[in-house]
Amino acid sequence: AQSVTQLGSHVSVSEGALVLLRCNYSSSVPPYLFWYVQYPNQGLQLLLKYTSAATLVKGINGFEAEFKKSETSFHLTKPSAHMSDAAEYFCAVSTGGFKTIFGAGTRLFVKA
Amino acid sequence: KAGVTQTPRYLIKTRGQQVTLSCSPISGHRSVSWYQQTPGQGLQFLFEYFSETQRNKGNFPGRFSGRQFSNSRSEMNVSTLELGDSALYLCASRPDGGPPYNEQFFGPGTRLTVL
């Protein structure tokens, strides 16, 4: 069975600092991995996705994630945080079926 | 293209009532999924419809049901509401039946409060 674990329900960084949101997955088959972002009172929006084409994936708003099979990880990073990055971030995994499993989410706070 | 729309945006019901939520996917999208989002449980998959057929189902009781129409619009129904059904219900559409790495496009959600 597939599962997703996001380490840290809350992460706080200063503006301009590195953002690192951790995601580990469990899957018996090669997974498809996603990061979504949710701003207050909105639905989820895709940041980036891994589909086995390249292990380093670049997304919108300066975010990127690296797929590491040996560590079963897909951590999300951004070199320099901006106030507008404050939101909740969800890691998700999908395999051969059409069900997507989401992690519990990590709320990112950005301090001025 | 217009995004995924959900109606109503907010809803207040009392225990024991039933409720119907509506979702209109992006034009041309034939797959619609529903999720329940709560602070304690996060995002929980309810079900997915594709071409008017339920293709996948999560672990929710039978009080939760859905359907999809020929124009791909979808409705979900919750009968005999319980306090624990208070949540944000999100609808997401996908371009076509597969592959599974196709991203989902989410609507803004319907905030259901059960009193």
Side-chain angles (χ1 to χ4, degrees):
Chain A
Q2 41 183 324
S3 65
V4 177
T5 302
Q6 291 184 240
L7 301 176
S9 58
H10 297 83
V11 170
S12 182
V13 300
S14 298
E15 194 172 21
L18 171 72
V19 175
L20 171 60
L21 304 183
R22 299 176 186 273
C23 172
N24 288 89
Y25 70 91
S26 172
S27 175
S28 57
V29 297
Y32 302 110
L33 297 160
F34 309 81
W35 275 100
Y36 285 85
V37 61
Q38 185 178 32
Y39 298 101
N41 299 316
Q42 294 185 28
L44 279 69
Q45 176 186 2
L46 182 72
L47 274 177
L48 49 81
K49 63 182 178 183
Y50 167 75
T51 61
S52 77
T55 57
L56 182 62
V57 182
K58 294 187 184 299
I60 62 172
N61 301 338
F63 284 94
E64 62 181 38
E66 186 172 8
F67 172 70
K68 292 187 176 181
K69 184 178 179 181
S70 61
E71 299 177 9
T72 61
S73 68
F74 191 57
H75 302 331
L76 182 70
T77 60
K78 181 174 180 178
S80 177
H82 192 272
M83 296 297 288
S84 60
D85 294 328
E88 189 154 21
Y89 292 81
F90 294 90
C91 182
V93 63
S94 177
T95 57
F98 295 96
K99 192 182 293 188
T100 301
I101 305 299
F102 286 85
T106 297
R107 185 165 296 278
L108 176 66
F109 297 92
V110 182
K111 300 174 292 187
Chain B
K1 275 186 181 179
V4 178
T5 58
Q6 292 187 244
T7 56
R9 290 293 312 276
Y10 301 91
L11 206 49
I12 299 176
K13 292 285 187 179
T14 57
R15 280 181 298 174
Q17 287 187 309
Q18 76 164 17
V19 67
T20 300
L21 312 182
S22 180
C23 171
S24 292
I26 292 173
S27 177
H29 288 194
R30 293 188 295 162
S31 166
V32 173
S33 296
W34 288 89
Y35 295 85
Q36 180 195 66
Q37 185 178 22
T38 59
Q41 300 296 319
L43 268 163
Q44 302 285 311
F45 173 73
L46 280 155
F47 28 66
E48 184 207 7
Y49 286 87
F50 175 70
S51 292
E52 302 180 64
T53 301
Q54 188 180 88
R55 183 163 65 178
N56 258 311
K57 189 176 186 305
N59 297 322
F60 277 81
R63 299 185 298 108
F64 292 81
S65 62
R67 59 177 175 169
Q68 187 180 34
F69 302 95
S70 58
N71 61 358
S72 294
R73 190 177 69 85
S74 177
E75 289 182 346
M76 68 162 282
N77 183 276
V78 187
S79 62
T80 319
L81 284 166
E82 301 177 358
L83 295 178
D85 297 334
S86 294
L88 181 67
Y89 290 88
L90 292 165
C91 166
S93 72
R94 205 195 296 264
D96 54 34
Y101 56 73
N102 278 350
E103 70 172 285
Q104 295 181 79
F105 294 81
F106 284 80
T110 293
R111 172 77 61 187
L112 172 64
T113 302
V114 182
L115 302 176

